[in-house]
Amino acid sequence: MTGDSTQHDLSRFEFPSSQPIEQQLWRDLVQQLFTDISDNNSLFEQLWKHFANPGHWRVYEDVQCCWESLQEQGIGIGIASNFDRRLEPICHELGLNGEKCQLFCSADLGFRKPDLRFYRAIEQSLPSESL
């Protein structure tokens, strides 16, 4: 620690997560950002579906090359995200899956990053030989 007073200790804060919590967080964000739209619920539903579609996502070229190289070497890969359950089909469609790949979503773990319990839940779910 540098003693810099601008650093914050986030370990004392709780960041609960679940599928309903994540959906409500995004719904609230849409309402806060799009104040000039009368039907925010309709807009939210459209955006929710839009970002559930794997066709609206892409993997950077250098990430794809690295991913393939790690897979070829049999190295386990983990994706840990504050996203919700929409992430699994997105990753599958983009080819970010495989025998040695594990996906960790805050909505399933019960906590969001940077809550320490997010990382502990991942640690507890990993096979002991990977630690």
Side-chain angles (χ1 to χ4, degrees), residues 26-37 40 43:
W26 285 108
R27 186 181 302 279
D28 292 347
L29 183 63
V30 168
Q31 288 178 346
Q32 291 171 13
L33 292 176
F34 298 97
T35 57
D36 58 334
I37 295 178
N40 285 44
L43 176 61

Side-chain angles (χ1 to χ4, degrees), residues 78-127:
I79 298 174
S81 174
N82 277 343
F83 210 65
D84 51 75
R85 291 191 186 118
R86 295 175 295 167
L87 186 59
E88 187 173 349
I90 292 168
C91 287
H92 180 76
E93 188 68 30
L94 294 175
L96 300 178
N97 59 350
E99 188 177 310
K100 295 250 182 190
C101 178
Q102 287 187 274
L103 183 61
F104 304 99
C105 290
S106 59
D108 292 329
L109 296 175
F111 310 100
R112 302 181 103 236
K113 295 182 278 181
D115 192 315
L116 185 58
R117 293 172 296 178
F118 175 87
Y119 303 101
R120 293 287 185 234
I122 292 171
E123 181 181 46
Q124 291 172 0
S125 71
L126 293 173

